[in-house]
Structure formats: structure tokens, C-alpha cells
């Protein structure tokens, strides 16, 4: 019998086989450093894609990979992420709500170290977009999947994942930088499974395509909870691939933010506002400083 993993990584996919190939590779032991397949499991949830992934496709990345097709009519990942967490085996879960996000090569190891350091951790990382600008801007200048395929083909990221920082732009949601506090939304986070469930998980009333502000809503509940130890990972992050995403790849004039805000107000009975950084809470910064992140650090 295999030992119980220490970390379960839940990642949600919807019609993105192209992106899943790279995302899952960055979660494999061929790419992640300082860990073994016994340390963690990866649960790939297909959120009712019209062209689903397959178990064979997912399992090629390791025996610690599992695949589930989540049969739903919802265009939101909220139910799928809650389902994924419910079937995890580890005491701690990491969540990647958008399966188009590749990871840096020590993010699993650093997450495990952070979870070992605290009894009630909430671990997070910053987010980047592949390409010269944020993708809803670079797409106006011709950036697309073909451009991105060539960009990645010219970057030796499979051998050194930190090179992804060299060909990426920091997402505006992560404009706080490595030492500025919490990002505005969560592209990658880890939390004790019991705490995720105690908080109610992702609110399934958020039914907008892509989840709308469900991610922001969950982060608000994290900030309001005084029992959590907040940990920001230094030198690690996620990298968004271009895939026609509802928000990240929408035309600036057609961004669905106003629709998302209306849904939030209907559910929470108040206007959405970005919360201030946690007052009186100490954020612990953990990690390393690969050379590639130097241009994203302001030491002034």
C-alpha cells in the first residue's frame, strides 16, 4: 500500500487539452524539485468539457496523478473545486482553479515546507501571464496560442522552469509583488483540508463562466479568519497560458467585471470591494530567490 500523500493538488480543466499538457507536466516529478511522487498527489478534474481529457492522458505524468470527469451543466469551477477537495487523500490541499496555469519548479516543495512550519497555514503564490504584456493587452498586438507555442518552444522551461519568469509579465492581480502583502486573487493556494471545509469551500452560488468573483470571495473569507497563518512563497508562481479565458483573455472593452460584480452583490447583498491588507496579521515570506525573479523585486 502506498503511503498517504502529504499534499493533494486539485487542478480544474475545461476544454484545454493544449494547456493541460504543460500544466500537468509542471506538476510532475520530472519537473518539480526536491520531492518524490509519494509526497503528493495530483487530482485533475475535467469540468464537463465538450472535448474531455482522459485518464490515460492524465496518468502519463505519474502514478500519483488521478483523473475525474465532473458531470455538470455549470460553467463555473466552484462545484468542481469543492468536489476535487472532497476526494483528496492528503491533510493539506493545494488548488489551481484555472488549469491553464503552469507552475514554477519548487512550488510543491516550498508548499510542503510552509505547511510543516505552521499548524494552520494558508500558502499562496503570485501570478504571471506568459508573453510581453498581460494577455488581454498583448492579444491586441497579435499575441495568441501560436505565438505562445513558439515562445515556449524557444524557452528551455522543461529543464529549468524558472526561465518562465523571463518570458512572462506580472499579472495586475499580483501587483503587490513578492513583499507587498496578499494578491487580489488566488491563482495557487494551499490550506488544510479541514479548514477549507470549515470555511465552506468555494461558494457554489457563483455560477458565472469561470466562476466570476468566487476566487475573490474565498480570499475575503481567508482575510477575515484570524486563526490562519498567512504564507507568501518567494521565487515561485503560476504562469497563465493563452486559451481564450473568460477574464484573462477578454477584450478590455468587453471584460465581464461588471457582470461579475452584479452576481457578487446578489449573493453577498453588498457591493464588492477589494479588502485592505490584513490588519495586525503577520505574513510570513518563505522561499528562495532564483536569478530570473530579480526584475520583479523592488528593493528600494
Amino acid at each position: 500500500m502506498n503511503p498517504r500523500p502529504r499534499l493533494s493538488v486539485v487542478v480544474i480543466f475545461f476544454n484545454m487539452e493544449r494547456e493541460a499538457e504543460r500544466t500537468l507536466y509542471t506538476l510532475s516529478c520530472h519537473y518539480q524539485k526536491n520531492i518524490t511522487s509519494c509526497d503528493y498527489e495530483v487530482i485533475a478534474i475535467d469540468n464537463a468539457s465538450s472535448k474531455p481529457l482522459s485518464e490515460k492522458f492524465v496518468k502519463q505524468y505519474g502514478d500519483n496523478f488521478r483523473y475525474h470527469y465532473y458531470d455538470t451543466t455549470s460553467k463555473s469551477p466552484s462545484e468542481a473545486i469543492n468536489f476535487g477537495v472532497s476526494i483528496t487523500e492528503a491533510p493539506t490541499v493545494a488548488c489551481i482553479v484555472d488549469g491553464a496555469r503552469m507552475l514554477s519548479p519548487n512550488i510543491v516543495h516550498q508548499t510542503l515546507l510552509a505547511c510543516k512550519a505552521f499548524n494552520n497555514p494558508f500558502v499562496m503564490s503570485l501570478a504571471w501571464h506568459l508573453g510581453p504584456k498581460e494577455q488581454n493587452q498583448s492579444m491586441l498586438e497579435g499575441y495568441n496560442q501560436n505565438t505562445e507555442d513558439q515562445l515556449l518552444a524557444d524557452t528551455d522551461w522543461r529543464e529549468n522552469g524558472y526561465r518562465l519568469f523571463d518570458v512572462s509579465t506580472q499579472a495586475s492581480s499580483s501587483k503587490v509583488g513578492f513583499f507587498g502583502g496578499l494578491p487580489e486573487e488566488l491563482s495557487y493556494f494551499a490550506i488544510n483540508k479541514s479548514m477549507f471545509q470549515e470555511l465552506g469551500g468555494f461558494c457554489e452560488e457563483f455560477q458565472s463562466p469561470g466562476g466570476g468573483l468566487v476566487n475573490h470571495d474565498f480570499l475575503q473569507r481567508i482575510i477575515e479568519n484570524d486563526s490562519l497563518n498567512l504564507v507568501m512563497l518567494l521565487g515561485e508562481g503560476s504562469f497563465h497560458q493563452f486559451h481564450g479565458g473568460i477574464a484573462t483573455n477578454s477584450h478590455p472593452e468587453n471584460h465581464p467585471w461588471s457582470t461579475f460584480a452584479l452576481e457578487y452583490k446578489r449573493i453577498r447583498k453588498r457591493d464588492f470591494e477589494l479588502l485592505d491588507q490584513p490588519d495586525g496579521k503577520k505574513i510570513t515570506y518563505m522561499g528562495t530567490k532564483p536569478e530570473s525573479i530579480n526584475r520583479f523585486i523592488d528593493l528600494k
Side-chain angles (χ1 to χ4, degrees):
M1 180 180 295
N2 292 329
R4 185 188 186 194
R6 293 188 287 152
L7 178 70
S8 296
V9 183
V10 177
V11 55
I12 310 298
F13 297 102
F14 177 72
N15 286 338
M16 53 176 70
E17 183 175 350
R18 166 189 174 269
E19 295 75 25
E21 186 277 328
R22 295 178 182 132
T23 296
L24 292 175
Y25 181 82
T26 64
L27 285 168
S28 72
C29 283
H30 299 292
Y31 176 92
Q32 288 295 321
K33 307 299 183 184
N34 302 307
I35 46 86
T36 71
S37 60
C38 294
D39 291 322
Y40 70 111
E41 65 172 351
V42 176
I43 300 177
I45 306 293
D46 192 309
N47 196 30
S49 299
S50 58
K51 295 182 179 179
L53 304 179
S54 68
E55 184 173 8
K56 181 179 179 181
F57 177 86
V58 171
K59 292 284 289 183
Q60 69 178 307
Y61 298 99
D63 292 337
N64 58 330
F65 281 64
R66 290 196 277 155
Y67 169 74
H68 288 270
Y69 178 85
Y70 187 70
D71 193 5
T72 179
T73 59
S74 175
K75 300 299 183 184
S76 168
S78 304
E79 298 170 20
I81 200 76
N82 289 341
F83 168 74
V85 171
S86 75
I87 63 172
T88 57
E89 296 183 357
T92 305
V93 294
C95 297
I96 305 166
V97 181
D98 181 354
R101 296 184 183 274
M102 302 163 68
L103 288 308
S104 56
N106 263 299
I107 199 165
V108 173
H109 173 62
Q110 293 294 343
T111 298
L112 288 170
L113 289 180
C115 292
K116 186 177 181 180
F118 297 99
N119 290 327
N120 197 15
F122 185 79
V123 185
M124 72 212 89
S125 70
L126 300 181
W128 280 257
H129 286 196
L130 291 171
K133 297 179 181 179
E134 285 193 281
Q135 289 169 358
N136 54 4
Q137 293 294 327
S138 63
M139 63 183 280
L140 303 179
E141 301 171 9
Y143 189 84
N144 55 32
Q145 289 183 328
N146 292 333
T147 309
E148 187 169 271
D149 289 344
Q150 189 59 55
L151 178 74
L152 290 170
D154 294 339
T155 306
D156 193 19
W157 64 272
R158 291 180 187 268
E159 293 301 317
N160 181 359
Y162 289 112
R163 292 198 175 111
L164 291 171
F165 286 106
D166 297 333
V167 294
S168 298
T169 301
Q170 199 157 23
S172 58
S173 61
S174 292
K175 63 186 176 183
V176 294
F178 281 114
F179 297 100
L182 305 186
E184 292 178 2
E185 65 174 315
L186 302 165
S187 300
Y188 171 95
F189 68 88
I191 187 172
N192 287 344
K193 179 178 179 177
S194 58
M195 178 56 68
F196 180 90
Q197 294 172 328
E198 181 179 322
L199 289 168
F202 273 32
C203 176
E204 295 181 5
E205 292 182 68
F206 286 89
Q207 288 294 308
S208 292
L213 298 182
V214 68
N215 197 313
H216 299 72
D217 176 71
F218 185 74
L219 179 58
Q220 287 182 322
R221 281 181 281 140
I222 292 297
I223 294 174
E224 292 165 356
N225 189 294
D226 292 327
S227 69
L228 288 160
N229 303 111
L230 305 178
V231 181
M232 171 62 71
L233 295 182
L234 303 177
E236 307 297 330
S238 68
F239 304 87
H240 187 266
Q241 301 172 73
F242 190 94
H243 67 102
I246 295 297
T248 48
N249 299 152
S250 67
H251 192 286
E253 294 180 359
N254 299 321
H255 196 283
W257 180 268
S258 59
T259 302
F260 292 169
L262 286 173
E263 181 182 55
Y264 180 90
K265 185 173 184 178
R266 176 179 59 79
I267 295 169
R268 296 302 181 203
K269 312 303 180 189
R270 65 178 185 271
D271 290 330
F272 175 80
E273 294 181 1
L274 292 173
L275 294 185
D276 295 333
Q277 291 294 328
D279 184 25
K281 281 189 176 180
K282 181 179 180 181
I283 300 174
T284 300
Y285 297 91
M286 294 182 63
T288 59
K289 193 179 79 67
E291 184 176 348
S292 295
I293 72 166
N294 285 346
R295 67 192 180 100
F296 297 110
I297 297 178
D298 183 2
L299 298 178
K300 294 181 182 179

